[in-house]
Amino acid sequence: MKRLILTRHAKSSWDDPMTPDHDRPLNDRGKAAAADLGQWLASRDYIPGEVLCSDALRTRKTFSGIAPALPGAPVLELKPALYHAGPDVMMAVLRHATAEVVMMIGHNPGISEFAARLVARTPASPEFHRYPTGATLVADFDVEDWGQVGFGQGVVVDFVVPREIVA
């Protein structure tokens, strides 16, 4: 059994219109949401052993906000291919994962399509197909190796958006 935690980066800042997209930081709401997500993950024992993260600043800062709540230190792997990746690229990256529980942090629109294609049955949440900032899906796969994962195989364990987390 393998578990994927699929997270869209938290809310980013548009304060400086001259900042390149790749270098946009999180805004204050995004920083708070990332910390809340970390607490939510830890409280449910959704603890990744490996984190596959886009190399954009907002995805890295999302993980930096989540990480303090997680016990241990998951291996962080920055993956430039995940920057604005589509579902096929995201699947290719995931198939090289090695941990039992993997977190992937990416961007829309690719991450919402990836999430929808991954699972056999989508969660009832009206937010799932929109996959707003900070949205996080937890899905299990009945495979021995990440290389065996395919679309439509995931079983939804949980889904949350930051504003639904009650601190």
Side-chain angles (χ1 to χ4, degrees), residues 22 53-57 59-60 78-83 107:
H22 193 270
C53 184
S54 158
D55 66 344
L57 182 60
T59 50
R60 290 182 284 133
L78 296 180
K79 300 289 187 180
L82 291 177
Y83 178 63
H107 309 263

Side-chain angles (χ1 to χ4, degrees), residues 8 10 29 32-34 36-37 132-136 160-166:
R8 181 178 172 198
R29 189 172 118 205
D36 289 345
L37 281 169
T133 53
T136 299
V160 72
V161 295
R163 69 175 170 274
E164 296 171 347
I165 297 171
V166 179

Side-chain angles (χ1 to χ4, degrees), residues 105-135:
I105 306 174
H107 309 263
N108 250 354
I111 200 165
S112 62
E113 185 180 345
F114 184 57
R117 289 178 61 189
L118 269 178
V119 297
R121 179 176 293 150
T122 61
S125 171
E127 297 289 353
F128 181 75
H129 290 286
R130 197 168 72 82
Y131 228 83
T133 53

Side-chain angles (χ1 to χ4, degrees), residues 39-112:
Q39 293 293 327
W40 181 83
L41 291 167
S43 73
R44 286 161 174 72
D45 201 31
Y46 302 148
I47 310 299
E50 177 179 19
V51 179
L52 307 174
C53 184
S54 158
D55 66 344
L57 182 60
R58 62 191 177 274
T59 50
R60 290 182 284 133
K61 290 296 184 181
T62 297
F63 180 67
S64 294
I66 290 170
L70 302 177
V75 175
L76 174 63
E77 297 178 43
L78 296 180
K79 300 289 187 180
L82 291 177
Y83 178 63
H84 289 290
D88 292 331
V89 170
M90 294 182 83
M91 179 62 82
V93 170
L94 180 60
R95 285 182 175 150
H96 288 91
T98 57
E100 295 297 310
V101 180
V102 172
M103 176 178 234
M104 184 178 278
I105 306 174
H107 309 263
N108 250 354
I111 200 165
S112 62

